[in-house]
């Protein structure tokens, strides 16, 4: 299973798409009126720690914070080791639930971690919650004597709870454990493709539609 | 045209990505992409909810568009003053790449390679108040 995803340009793009719409509705709080705002160096940033938006969490819960630079292999190795511990132990007080949180650029990675974990450790119930998280960026002013600038940004964040115990199906964002990995949406609806094929010259990236499990490919 | 250099093959391949799903589309399905302007996609969702008379819409995003889909859903919720609720589901989608040899004379046959990508499906709905 390869996880090849071109992320060279995606980092910049993801950053701009996240911040742009925020500035439309939430203006950053800038204390100084210096026009050279973007020469600042970001020193540190703090987040406001709000409680999990998911109700009914157990006390002994593993909280995995997925960031942009996290390595998926490391995270999953840790979690699968913890979740499989209880099979060898005779007590059943080991890990039943795990929470993944991610925000901003680490959002997609959080979801990928959850998906891979669901595949390796099957039978997990899932509840996902989306919310906005405010992040305070403290930027150091390059000019001497000027105060540091604190900028507030709101970034989208996700909080995903995976649990071996059944969860409330009425909860919005609930997903039951699925046994097969292939999503069955496309196999159920076998209608003709909506999009006409583009038939480009060979220079452009060709896009081919695949019908019926890659047996027929329209050129 | 991207050449696949991950394999140590002397034959060079052309990488072509196949389209993911067949995009089954109900009226209230919105598929988010990175090519269309963000505000246009947001306006389209708002039009479906307000003018279209749909009680719920479903916003889908694949790969990099996950961020944008979540952003759109959260913006919709914020602009509705809390009347809308969100329910997010995640899934894995298999994408198939066709690898074709650059030089047709070279001894290489077209191969396919599958990889997985994450997708999100966010239901944006007015909750039924009893």
């Amino acid at each position: 299973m390869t996880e090849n995803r071109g992320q060279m340009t995606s980092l910049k793009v993801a950053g701009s798409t996240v911040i742009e719409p925020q500035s439309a509705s939430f203006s950053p709080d800038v204390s100084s009126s210096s026009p050279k705002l973007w020469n600042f160096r970001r020193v540190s940033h703090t987040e406001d720690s709000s409680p999990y938006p998911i109700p009914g969490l157990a006390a002994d819960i593993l909280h995995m914070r997925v960031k942009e630079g996290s390595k998926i292999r490391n995270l999953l190795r840790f979690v699968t080791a913890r979740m499989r511990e209880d099979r060898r132990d005779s007590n059943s007080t080991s890990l039943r639930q795990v929470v993944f949180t991610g925000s901003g650029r680490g959002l997609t990675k959080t979801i990928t971690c959850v998906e891979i974990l669901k595949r390796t450790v099957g039978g997990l119930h899932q509840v996902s919650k989306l919310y906005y998280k405010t992040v305070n960026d403290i930027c150091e002013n390059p000019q001497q004597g000027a105060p540091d600038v604190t900028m507030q940004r709101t970034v989208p964040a996700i909080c995903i709870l995976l649990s071996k115990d059944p969860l409330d199906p009425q909860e919005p964002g609930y997903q039951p454990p699925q046994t097969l990995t292939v999503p069955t949406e496309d196999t159920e609806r076998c209608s003709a493709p909506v999009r006409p094929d583009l038939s480009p010259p060979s220079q452009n990236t060709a896009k081919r539609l695949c019908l019926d499990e890659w047996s027929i490919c329209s050129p | 045209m991207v050449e696949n250099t991950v394999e140590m093959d002397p034959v060079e391949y052309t990488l072509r990505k196949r389209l993911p799903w067949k995009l089954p589309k109900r009226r209230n399905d919105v598929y988010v992409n990175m090519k269309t302007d963000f505000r246009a996609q947001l306006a389209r969702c708002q039009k479906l909810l307000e003018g279209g008379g749909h009680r719920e819409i479903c916003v889908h995003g694949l790969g990099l568009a996950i961020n944008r889909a979540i952003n759109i859903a959260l913006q919709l919720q914020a602009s509705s003053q809390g009347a809308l609720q969100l329910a997010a589901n995640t899934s894995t989608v298999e994408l198939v790449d066709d690898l074709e040899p650059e030089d047709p004379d070279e001894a290489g046959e077209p191969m396919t390679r599958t990889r997985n990508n994450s997708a999100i499906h966010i239901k944006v709905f007015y909750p039924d108040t009893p």
Side-chain angles (χ1 to χ4, degrees):
Chain A
M1 174 180 69
T2 55
E3 290 285 337
N4 291 336
R5 254 182 282 140
Q7 287 200 337
M8 311 275 275
T9 55
S10 66
L11 293 178
K12 252 196 303 183
V13 175
S16 58
T17 47
V18 165
I19 296 178
E20 251 180 357
Q22 309 310 320
S23 56
S25 41
F26 310 90
S27 54
D29 181 22
V30 178
S31 53
S32 79
S33 54
S34 154
K36 295 194 289 286
L37 192 60
W38 310 116
N39 291 344
F40 284 25
R41 222 163 22 96
R42 198 177 84 163
V43 171
S44 67
H45 77 276
T46 56
E47 305 174 349
D48 63 338
S49 58
S50 47
Y52 303 135
I54 300 182
L57 289 180
D60 62 335
I61 202 161
L62 178 60
H63 182 195
M64 304 290 292
R65 283 175 235 262
V66 183
K67 295 194 184 156
E68 183 190 6
S70 310
K71 302 291 180 215
I72 298 184
R73 299 244 167 95
N74 295 345
L75 292 170
L76 288 175
R77 208 175 334 144
F78 180 70
V79 179
T80 41
R82 289 292 297 274
M83 294 209 70
R84 290 191 170 148
E85 251 176 27
D86 52 356
R87 297 214 190 129
R88 282 178 276 153
D89 289 348
S90 51
N91 324 337
S92 58
T93 54
S94 341
L95 199 60
R96 314 277 311 165
Q97 297 186 337
V98 60
V99 167
F100 283 85
T101 54
S103 63
R105 294 180 179 166
L107 203 42
T108 319
K109 201 167 265 197
T110 312
I111 299 180
T112 305
C113 274
V114 166
E115 289 294 312
I116 299 179
L117 187 65
K118 278 200 302 194
R119 229 177 306 153
T120 51
V121 180
L124 291 174
H125 302 255
Q126 176 183 345
V127 169
S128 325
K129 293 285 181 193
L130 304 171
Y131 57 104
Y132 272 130
K133 178 186 278 208
T134 44
V135 171
N136 299 313
D137 280 342
I138 303 177
C139 299
E140 193 185 63
N141 200 325
Q143 305 168 10
Q144 254 57 358
D148 291 347
V149 166
T150 305
M151 283 209 317
Q152 248 191 350
R153 283 188 295 139
T154 53
V155 288
I158 195 169
C159 183
I160 305 181
L161 165 69
L162 288 175
S163 155
K164 289 185 182 173
D165 307 318
L167 302 167
D168 179 20
Q170 304 305 321
E171 184 78 31
Y174 172 76
Q175 228 172 305
Q178 52 183 120
T179 46
L180 297 175
T181 56
V182 179
T184 53
E185 300 174 24
D186 50 346
T187 50
E188 283 172 4
R189 309 170 214 219
C190 38
S191 54
V194 177
R195 175 178 314 180
D197 71 300
L198 308 172
S199 57
S202 56
Q203 260 68 30
N204 306 344
T205 46
K207 299 190 179 191
R208 296 191 205 162
L209 281 175
C210 298
L211 316 167
D212 297 335
E213 295 155 351
W214 307 292
S215 53
I216 308 166
C217 277
S218 59
Chain B
M1 218 155 52
V2 176
E3 289 174 358
N4 186 15
T5 51
V6 174
E7 299 173 329
M8 307 297 180
D9 274 342
V11 181
E12 287 173 343
Y13 286 92
T14 307
L15 190 86
R16 288 176 178 190
K17 299 180 185 178
R18 292 196 200 171
L19 280 177
W21 310 318
K22 278 180 282 184
L23 290 198
K25 224 171 134 108
R26 302 166 295 181
R27 282 270 165 206
N28 51 352
D29 267 347
V30 177
Y31 287 84
V32 176
N33 62 9
M34 300 302 287
K35 295 182 185 169
T36 316
D37 188 37
F38 175 85
R39 275 181 276 246
Q41 299 186 50
L42 182 61
R44 200 166 131 226
C45 293
Q46 267 167 347
K47 218 193 308 186
L48 276 177
L49 270 178
E50 294 162 14
H54 295 103
R55 297 281 307 175
E56 66 167 32
I57 62 170
C58 202
V59 182
H60 306 266
L62 176 68
L64 190 54
I66 288 178
N67 271 325
R68 204 174 256 203
I70 293 181
N71 228 340
I72 285 184
L74 286 169
Q75 291 272 318
L76 287 172
Q77 189 183 34
S79 61
S80 77
Q81 281 103 23
L84 286 171
Q85 272 192 16
L86 305 178
N89 274 12
T90 58
S91 66
T92 307
V93 175
E94 278 196 7
L95 299 177
V96 183
D97 299 330
D98 297 316
L99 304 168
E100 294 172 3
E102 272 263 327
D103 195 350
D105 298 333
E106 291 284 334
E109 75 267 6
M111 293 192 338
T112 58
R113 160 178 302 201
T114 48
R115 58 195 163 90
N116 289 318
N117 221 330
S118 304
I120 195 165
H121 318 273
I122 310 172
K123 217 186 293 191
V124 186
F125 59 100
Y126 290 107
D128 301 323
T129 50

